[in-house]
Amino acid sequence: MKYVSSNVYVGPSVYAHFPVIRRVVDLGILEDYPSVKLGEAFIDGLVAALPGLDDHGCSYGVPGGFIRRLKEDEGTWIAHIWEHVTLELQCMGGNKVSFGRTRGAGAVGRYNMVYEYHQKDVGLAASDLARQLLISLMPAEIQDQLNSRVDDDFDFEQELADFIRFAQRKEFGPSTQALVNAAEARNIPWLRLNEYSLVQFGHGKYQQRIQATITSMTKHIAVEISCDKEETHNLLNSLGLPLPQQRLVYSQEKALSAAKTIGFPVVVKPLNANHGRGVSINLTTPEMVVTAFDYAREFGTGKAVLVESFLTGLDHRMLVVNGELVAVAKRVPGHVIGDGVSSVASLIDRVNEDPRRGVGHEKVLTRLELDAQALRLLAEADYTADTVLAQGELFYLRATANLSTGGTAIDLTDVVHPDNRAMAERAISAVGLDIGGVDFLTSDITQSYKDVGGGIVEVNAAPGFRMHVAPSEGQPRDVAGKVLDMLFPVGEPARIPIAGITGTNGKTTTSRMLSHILKTAGHIVGMTSTDGVYVDGRLSVKGDMTGPVSSQMVLRDPLVDIAVLETARGGILRAGLGYRETDVSACLNVQEDHLGLKGIDTVSQLAEIKRVVVEVATDTAILNADDLECVKMSAYVKAKNICYVTMNSGHSLVREHIRAGGRAVVLERGINGEMITIFDKGVHIPLLWTHLIPATLEGKATHNVQNAMFAAALAFSLNKRLEDIQHGLRTFNTTFFQAPGRMNVFDEHPFRVILDYAHNADGVRSMSELASKLDVDGKRIVVIAGPGDRRDADLVNISRAAAGHFDLYICKADDNRRGRGDDEVPQMIARALIEQGVQPEQILVIADEVDAIDKALNLAGHGDLVMVFGDAITRCWKQIIQFNNVTGGQSTTPTKAPQSLVSMLDAEEPDTFVLQPGMTIVKDERGVRVAFDTEEGSD
């Protein structure tokens, strides 16, 4: 019963569109022991330890369903039980999670255990504790056979209490969680920025941040004033607001003097502390003042202590947000009430039996603690923990009424007197806080303080929300919603538009094309790619940045107003997406690449991974209609629009889609040229002749024609103007500086050199076909390689893709051999080329990339074409341009006159689309799509 591997998915993945953890587990001998075989003692012990399991519906969908699974027939397997116990432990820690799914992972006894989580450390720890609990409940003879046993002194109740405290430390506090809940209710995205309470709401330029209940709009000077209780007192006093008398002191002697001047009883508290720490109230003797002074010093950050007059009345917290009083709660300190029989300690235990009380912020109320402060208050009353209180006698275990120390709260928002409301709003306005709490003592909040007296004892920045969102009595108040409405007024955006781009080939070029279109349209673009993270065209972080971390870099950047996120297979497999949804998503193609790695062995499995990007699109999903795996994805699209991209104007599915009013981008042919056209809601929109796009090399680089079509589809779906799309495509070229490693052409030698990063059969095929189409006066030379971690079959396919297109083949290896021998890959490619009919004298094997490129450049003559499939792209480019000390730019693309155009609906090209068995065509308001029956629920 051990872990094989673990993945923490931070966003949508193949398992769920919310955060989940996947743990591959190996049951070992326990594969032979379903729950019934483990015995009734195991089942009964599990239910006794976790009574909440009775609420799990499991596959039956009703409470008690999981217990039935445990007991019926032979029962259920331990991996499935492990999943449910992990979920229940998280719930007990304050995380309401319910999704889980456990399925076989191939080998006997090995399972994929997938379950929902809120905080990764809590989710992982819950699984670990679940494992310990399950092993501890198994019969001794089975435990003896396991490779690992739990400690003999394993105490589940203690471990559970420790886990709950751990969960509370890791999770958001109640105020932060309330704000996150309010954001989710308003569909405002959020990102946790640290392990504590720093949270970003919104994306890019529209973001706002909070830390607990301090916001981006909270003024620093206002917080400083509120933290200085003397300064706050003086400021409010100057406005005539009701306040107690107050003195600032630095010694016991001065504290005694101040108390005598003000008159007993008094309050002593630190100058700058919060949550009621260090506060002593109703002090009636000099001795009490001296003790309270020392106590206040323990909690203050400086030596200053405040002495102020003690106001009688009930403690009220008045919450003001954006200048409006939004909630009032009467706070009562943690207390017990005597029954004439029970000791104080017994009364505390009885109060803590209330199911609403828990550890820390686990539940609505916090457990009472018989700690140092409680013992001090008992001692001051000449009581001990064993004292039996008289019937009805109320004893306070805290001097202040904070919920975090066991206090209770009663909502009184609807009955507060208008004078008291205005007083609180004036106080917070005077301090300058956007969110502030006023601690107000009065005998009756429903009466004006002008009539019954009362006073402000404190003004708080970052006030807690728990007493308002979950009062002990009265109506909960959506105070967090008021904060979100302040940060994001009605009609103001919180999100930046997001374009997600995936596929096997063309992702980076398409991302760069789209980013260029958007930049020329006036946007500050944040882009992720295999080259790095770019903000406004400037490289921010170099490297392969196509995973969730890089996506969140862009979404966190306060300059960015639109995001273009290239998303690769590896990141999705490892940690899911770094975003919950996109406005538009595109899948360019799904080809054989990276197969045999990380459990992905077929193209269909690879398509399922890439489909996640399409599934999270909200406005438009853009699919390659010429790739059947992409067409299949239309069955899973939830977006408002489906847009097909096809280079075949005879495509029957796309024709039907267009006739139904759907959106499509089609390559249509004229007499002497090809035009990218857009269809939308029955309108035919010619966009641009392909020979006018520099990146297509006069339309001959068909793979870049397709990339341009996808970039146009993405930009159009992002509501960019046609003029901006045309201008962007006409000014984008594939120079090394604009698109490194993406068909970079160098024409300053007597021969032409093209550098490309193609590293799979499909990419090599596209570039090889381009080499054949280009007018070359001399010979065609290729420097070719393949990644060492690909299957032998993949390397053979790379060779087949290049065979027949070149006159000389120089086979090399990548710098990182990835487990292969020094010249193993180039030798394999050479053998495969010979099998394809390439003559041995046309092949050279030079394993080192620098030497191989140097050989190609030296062999090239006037009018030749050298195509380099490079690995270390920057080094390759420098080697090419510095050959014979030649430097220069790139040739310009000539233009042709516009040609007449044949619309797709009138074209007579052959139809290449074939409907596979099990697929059906469905028509709706979005056009047409394919459909399957592949639904699967959770356990």
Side-chain angles (χ1 to χ4, degrees), residues 35 80 105 207 345 412 418 462 518 525 541 573 666 688 700 802 858:
S35 54
H80 181 212
Q207 66 181 268
L412 297 175
L518 297 174
V525 184
V541 182
L573 270 174
V666 181
L688 194 63
K700 295 176 181 176
N858 278 290

Side-chain angles (χ1 to χ4, degrees), residues 10 52 105 126 138 176 241 275 287 304 311 333 353 367 456 487 519 527 561 639 675 695 707 710 765 875:
V10 299
M138 291 177 187
T176 307
L241 292 170
H275 298 296
E287 293 75 19
L311 299 180
E353 290 175 0
R367 293 169 60 88
I456 299 171
L487 297 176
K519 183 174 175 62
M527 183 190 79
D561 63 15
M675 168 76 78
N707 291 337
F710 272 98
R765 182 178 299 106
R875 185 187 66 203

Side-chain angles (χ1 to χ4, degrees), residues 601-639:
D601 300 312
T602 67
V603 173
S604 294
Q605 289 175 323
L606 185 61
E608 185 180 359
I609 301 297
K610 295 182 180 294
R611 191 181 73 209
V612 177
V613 179
V614 173
E615 291 175 350
V616 301
T618 58
D619 184 83
T620 305
I622 302 169
L623 302 171
N624 186 349
D626 301 329
D627 187 314
L628 185 58
E629 292 297 339
C630 293
V631 174
K632 291 177 182 178
M633 294 180 188
S634 65
Y636 303 89
V637 169
K638 301 296 189 297

